[in-house]
Amino acid sequence: MSHSNHSSLVQRSTASSPSGDKEKMTYTDVDLERSNTHIRGLETSAETSLHRGLKARHITMIAIGGAIGTGLIIGTGKALAQAGPGSIFISYSIVGFVVYLVMAALGEMASWLPMSAGFTGYASRFCDPSLGFALGWTYWIKYIIVTPNQLTAAALVIQFWLPRDRVNPGVWITIFLVAILSINYFGIRFFGEFEFWLSSFKVLVIVGVIILSLVIAAGGADGDPRGFRYWQSPGAFAPYIATGSWGEFLGFWSTMVTATFAYLGTELVGVTVGEAQNPRKTIPRAIRLTFYRIVFFYCISILLIGMCVPYDSHDLAFANGTSGNANASPFVVAIKLAHIPVLDHILNACILLFVFSAANSDLYIASRTLYGLSSDGAAPSIFRKTNANGVPLYSLITSAAFALLAYLNVSDDSKAVFTYFVNLTTIFGLMTWISILVTHIWFVRARRAQNLTNDMMPYVAPLGIYGSYGALAMCVLIALTKNYDVFVGDWSKKYPTFITGYLGIPIYLCLIAGHKLWTKSKGVRPHECDFYTGKDIIDREEEEFLAAKAAAKAARPEGSKDRGVKWFYRRFVSWLF
C-alpha cells in the first residue's frame, strides 16, 4: 500500500475528535480493496482477518470455562493441607477480586476497540510497543508450555482406570492432540460451539459438586452434620514453616500462588475479541458476570470443601502425593470421608473432560496469541495469514508443534521438568495481569487527556484507574513473594524451584529492554494516544450486526413474546452460562 493511500485512510478514520461532534466516517469495500491495508493490530484483509463467529453465549462460556479447571478441582487439595480452610477461603477471595479488576480493566479497552491483536495490541497502542512485544511473547510461551502439560494431565487421569504398564501414556497423548488440533482447524464457529457445550458441562459439574459438598456438610450423606467443626478442630489456619500466628500467616500467604494458578486463564476473553460478534455488548456482559461467577464457583466451593475435609486428614495428605486424577482432588476426599460409593469414578471422568477442554482452549489461545503478535508487527507476517475458515493456520501448526513436548512425560523421570514448567507459567500469568493493568492505567490517562469522558465509553471499569492501581500493587507483591519458602531450608534442593519461580521476571524485563534497544521505541504520550484508527471499521460491523438482528426480530410473528421456558432461562439461569 502506498504512503498516500495509508495517509488518507488514517485521516478518515480519525475524523472524529474527542471534543467535537463525531462525523460518521466508514470504510467502503472499495477503499479496503484498493488500499489492501493492514492497520496495526486490526486486520481488514480477507487473507488475514479472523471470522467473527463467537456469539454472546460463546464468549461468556469461554470466559468462565477458562477459569474453571484442575486448579479448582485438584489444586485446592495441597493448599488446604498446607494452610487450612480459612486461609484458602481468604486467598481465593482476594485473588478473585483482583481477577475481576483485571477483567474490568481489559473490558474497558476491548469494548472501545475490539482489536484482532487482543491485549497485546492494546499494550502496544495505548502504552508502549515494547510492553506489547514482551506481553505477547511471554503469553505465547506460557500457553505453549501449558498445552502439553494439559495433555499429560489427561493421560494421567486415564491411569485412574488403566495403569501405565498396561497402556503407554503416549497413546492417550496422541489421541487428545489429534482431537484438539482437529477442533481448532475447523474454524471458530465449530470451536465456539464445542467449547460452549463443554464449558456448560463443566459448570453443571461444579454446581453438582457444590450441592454435594453442602449436603455432606449438612450431614445428608452419612448422618453426620459437620458444619464448621473442622474450622475449630484442627482449626481454620494451619501453621507453615514457622509456629504460632506467624506460621499461620505464612501458610495463608503460601496459598496466594495456588489461588493465582487456579484463576489463570480468565483473561483469555481479551484474546477472543477479534472473533466476537457485537463485541461492545458481549465483552462487557462477560466481564460483569465474571464477578458473580467467581463468588459462586470459587468462593462458595472453597468454603464448603473446608467444611467437609479437615486439613490434617490422612486421605488429604495421601492426595497430595498424587497428581492428575481424582485421587488428588479434595472433593473426592470429601466423598470418601462421607462413604459415598462410585462417585469418585464419575468425578474422575468429569476431570478428564475438564483437562481436555483446557488443552483445547489453551491451543486456541496459543495460536491466536501468535497471530496477534504477527498482526501487531512483533512476529513474522506469515503467522497472520488465515484459511477459508478464518483460522490462522501457520500459527496453529506452530503452536501445536510445541505440544509434542508432552511426549517427554512418557518417561517418569521427566515429570519433574513439567512441574517446573507449571511454576514458570504462573509467573508468566502474573506478568500478563500486570501488563493489562499498566495498559489500562495508561489508557485512562490518555482518554482523560483527550477529553474522552465515561459516558462516551461502551463500558467503564467500576473502580476506574484506582482499582487498577490497587490490583497492580497486589499482583506485583504476589509475583515477588510467590516462592518465598525457597529461602528457607536446604538451598541445594530448592534452587530449581527458585529459578523457575522467578525466571519469568527477568525474561519479561529483558524482552522489554531488548525491544526498546532494537527499535528505539518510546512510550505513548497521553495526548498522542491513537483512539480512532480503525474504529470506524468496528462501528460499521456493529451497525450491520444490529441491523441484521433488528430485521430478524421484525420478521418474527406479530404478538409473539419471549415467555415460558426461554424467558425463565434468560432471566434466572443464563448468568451461569
Side-chain angles (χ1 to χ4, degrees):
M1 182 179 71
S2 68
H3 178 74
S4 60
N5 279 346
H6 182 265
S7 298
S8 64
L9 282 167
V10 171
Q11 286 172 2
R12 295 175 62 186
S13 65
T14 58
S16 54
S17 68
S19 56
D21 293 332
K22 293 182 182 177
E23 182 181 355
K24 189 174 181 60
M25 288 291 200
T26 58
Y27 291 116
T28 64
D29 294 332
V30 176
D31 290 328
L32 293 177
E33 185 177 354
R34 180 170 51 211
S35 64
N36 192 27
T37 185
H38 166 230
I39 299 172
R40 187 167 176 173
L42 185 67
E43 298 296 337
T44 56
S45 168
E47 296 176 351
T48 59
S49 59
L50 301 172
H51 291 181
R52 292 196 180 275
L54 291 178
K55 300 178 181 178
R57 60 188 177 89
H58 295 148
I59 293 291
T60 52
M61 271 328 285
I62 287 174
I64 191 61
I68 297 177
T70 52
L72 174 62
I73 293 294
I74 295 178
T76 49
K78 180 181 179 182
L80 177 60
Q82 188 167 293
S87 293
I88 61 172
F89 179 70
I90 295 172
S91 63
Y92 273 74
S93 300
I94 291 174
V95 177
F97 186 63
V98 169
V99 169
Y100 172 67
L101 293 175
V102 173
M103 294 285 286
L106 178 58
E108 183 171 327
M109 298 182 289
S111 59
W112 174 257
L113 188 64
M115 296 174 65
S116 308
F119 43 69
T120 300
Y122 300 135
S124 296
R125 183 161 175 168
F126 301 135
C127 185
D128 191 323
S130 297
L131 180 66
F133 178 84
L135 168 59
W137 282 110
T138 53
Y139 200 63
W140 185 68
I141 292 170
K142 172 190 171 218
Y143 274 97
I144 61 172
I145 291 173
V146 168
T147 303
N149 196 66
Q150 298 285 14
L151 292 172
T152 302
L156 290 172
V157 169
I158 294 182
Q159 292 180 38
F160 184 77
W161 299 294
L162 292 171
R164 63 183 298 122
D165 55 355
R166 290 183 58 187
V167 180
N168 191 294
V171 174
W172 307 119
I173 291 172
T174 304
I175 293 172
F176 292 135
L177 179 57
V178 171
I180 64 172
L181 190 56
S182 301
I183 292 167
N184 276 268
Y185 175 78
F186 286 117
I188 191 60
R189 291 182 183 274
F190 182 80
F191 172 85
E193 203 64 32
F194 183 87
E195 272 301 303
F196 171 79
W197 290 109
L198 207 54
S199 295
S200 298
F201 177 77
K202 289 163 72 172
V203 169
L204 289 175
V205 170
I206 292 295
V207 171
V209 166
I210 288 173
I211 294 173
L212 175 64
S213 300
L214 180 61
V215 169
I216 292 174
D222 57 359
D224 178 19
R226 294 162 177 79
F228 285 92
R229 177 197 307 163
Y230 299 138
W231 284 57
Q232 298 175 358
S233 177
F237 300 93
Y240 178 64
I241 297 179
T243 57
S245 299
W246 177 241
E248 291 177 350
F249 173 78
L250 291 177
F252 153 71
W253 196 255
S254 70
T255 63
M256 295 295 279
V257 64
T258 309
T260 301
F261 182 76
Y263 284 113
L264 288 180
T266 316
E267 76 291 332
L268 61 81
V269 173
V271 184
T272 68
V273 294
E275 295 171 282
Q277 295 178 354
N278 195 19
R280 287 180 178 148
K281 182 177 180 181
T282 55
I283 298 298
R285 174 177 168 79
I287 303 301
R288 291 189 193 101
L289 294 179
T290 297
F291 178 75
Y292 301 107
R293 289 162 172 167
I294 285 172
V295 171
F296 184 79
F297 293 119
Y298 277 89
C299 297
I300 293 180
S301 60
I302 291 298
L303 176 66
L304 289 172
I305 198 62
M307 296 168 64
C308 298
V309 181
Y311 73 74
D312 61 352
S313 167
H314 172 74
D315 291 310
L316 191 63
F318 172 76
N320 286 331
T322 322
S323 71
N325 59 39
N327 282 330
S329 173
F331 294 97
V332 168
V333 174
I335 291 170
K336 289 181 177 179
L337 292 177
H339 308 294
I340 304 175
V342 183
L343 265 182
D344 54 344
H345 289 272
I346 296 174
L347 188 56
N348 194 68
C350 295
I351 291 173
L352 178 62
L353 284 175
F354 276 35
V355 177
F356 178 77
S357 172
N360 187 44
S361 61
D362 288 346
L363 180 59
Y364 165 80
I365 297 301
S367 65
R368 295 318 188 267
T369 302
L370 186 55
Y371 168 87
L373 280 164
S374 180
S375 178
D376 199 40
S381 59
I382 191 174
F383 292 122
R384 64 184 177 91
K385 290 186 177 181
T386 55
N387 63 9
N389 294 326
V391 176
L393 198 56
Y394 296 104
S395 293
L396 177 62
I397 292 172
T398 303
S399 300
F402 284 90
L404 299 176
L405 289 170
Y407 290 105
L408 286 173
N409 287 265
V410 172
S411 61
D412 278 323
D413 56 354
S414 51
K415 287 180 184 174
V417 175
F418 270 77
T419 302
Y420 300 141
F421 278 172
V422 170
N423 201 15
L424 197 59
T425 61
T426 305
I427 192 65
F428 280 147
L430 282 167
M431 294 299 103
T432 300
W433 292 356
I434 288 170
S435 301
I436 292 171
L437 292 166
V438 169
T439 303
H440 179 250
I441 290 169
W442 256 250
F443 177 85
V444 174
R445 289 172 57 197
R447 70 176 181 85
R448 285 178 178 175
Q450 299 187 30
N451 298 320
L452 267 172
T453 56
N454 286 355
D455 59 314
M456 299 171 68
M457 305 295 295
Y459 173 77
V460 177
L463 298 183
I465 194 171
Y466 300 106
S468 291
Y469 275 124
L472 177 62
M474 181 57 70
C475 286
V476 170
L477 183 62
I478 295 173
L480 294 176
T481 61
K482 63 184 286 290
N483 290 101
Y484 72 86
D485 52 348
V486 301
F487 300 104
V488 180
D490 187 357
W491 173 254
S492 63
K493 295 180 180 178
K494 294 187 175 182
Y495 75 87
T497 303
F498 170 79
I499 293 172
T500 55
Y502 292 104
L503 183 62
I505 297 176
I507 288 176
Y508 175 77
L509 295 176
C510 286
L511 284 170
I512 293 176
H515 185 268
K516 276 193 171 296
L517 289 172
W518 183 263
T519 63
K520 310 296 182 185
S521 69
K522 296 181 180 179
V524 179
R525 296 178 179 178
H527 63 280
E528 295 177 352
C529 186
D530 181 7
F531 285 99
Y532 292 99
T533 300
K535 181 177 178 293
D536 52 351
I537 300 175
I538 306 299
D539 293 339
R540 186 184 67 172
E541 289 179 350
E542 184 180 33
E543 289 171 3
E544 291 174 350
F545 177 84
L546 294 175
K549 192 173 181 180
K553 187 176 181 180
R556 283 162 52 181
E558 189 176 349
S560 64
K561 293 183 178 180
D562 246 358
R563 292 289 176 180
V565 176
K566 286 186 177 179
W567 175 83
F568 180 82
Y569 173 83
R570 292 186 180 183
R571 185 87 176 180
F572 300 106
V573 183
S574 63
W575 71 273
L576 278 174
F577 300 93

